[in-house]
Amino acid sequence: MKTTLFTTNLEARTIQRGEDRDYFIETLSYPVNLELTHPLMSRLQFPKSRAVLVRTSPYRQDVTIHIMRDVDLYSSFANFEIDLKGHILNIQKEEGYIRLFLEERA
């Protein structure tokens, strides 16, 4: 699935919430590796995740990412916001893990 804000090679289910839109992406219980570009940190790993929820709004370029242990939002054990101005979010299944990273827009 590819949107204007993110791309993934996993199945994403769209949930409409008024004008906002959530994308529920099952991670098949693979660990999620958030790759960082900070010189002191290379990645954060979220083991035993069930899903990633990407929460979007048509009024801004920020997205909220929820890493979830189960299918409901209350099972979110980590969440953070990312400003996607000039970037696209990638959520890609690799061999044995899910890779979550930012890429500059072309």
Side-chain angles (χ1 to χ4, degrees), residues 2-106:
K2 185 171 185 166
T3 72
T4 59
L5 298 174
F6 77 92
T7 184
T8 184
N9 62 355
L10 294 161
E11 185 177 330
R13 187 176 66 212
T14 305
I15 303 164
Q16 194 69 40
R17 297 179 314 103
E19 292 184 45
D20 294 345
R21 189 173 288 162
D22 292 349
Y23 297 92
F24 182 86
I25 303 164
E26 292 222 32
T27 58
L28 311 169
S29 296
Y30 285 109
V32 174
N33 291 340
L34 171 60
E35 294 181 1
L36 304 169
T37 57
H38 192 280
L40 300 176
M41 294 173 52
S42 63
R43 71 179 166 96
L44 291 173
Q45 186 176 72
F46 304 101
K48 296 184 181 179
S49 64
R50 169 82 185 270
V52 172
L53 183 91
V54 180
R55 182 162 275 180
T56 67
S57 171
Y59 302 110
R60 55 192 188 125
Q61 290 290 309
D62 295 359
V63 296
T64 303
I65 309 293
H66 292 269
I67 309 295
M68 302 179 354
R69 288 236 190 266
D70 209 345
V71 295
D72 63 279
L73 191 57
Y74 294 111
S75 72
S76 175
F77 64 93
N79 66 73
F80 48 92
E81 287 188 0
I82 298 177
D83 181 359
L84 292 178
K85 189 175 188 180
H87 292 84
I88 190 162
L89 176 67
N90 282 281
I91 305 167
Q92 303 297 320
K93 182 182 179 298
E94 303 287 343
E95 185 70 31
Y97 67 98
I98 306 297
R99 183 175 173 222
L100 198 146
F101 63 100
L102 293 178
E103 195 171 51
E104 285 191 41
R105 288 187 190 271

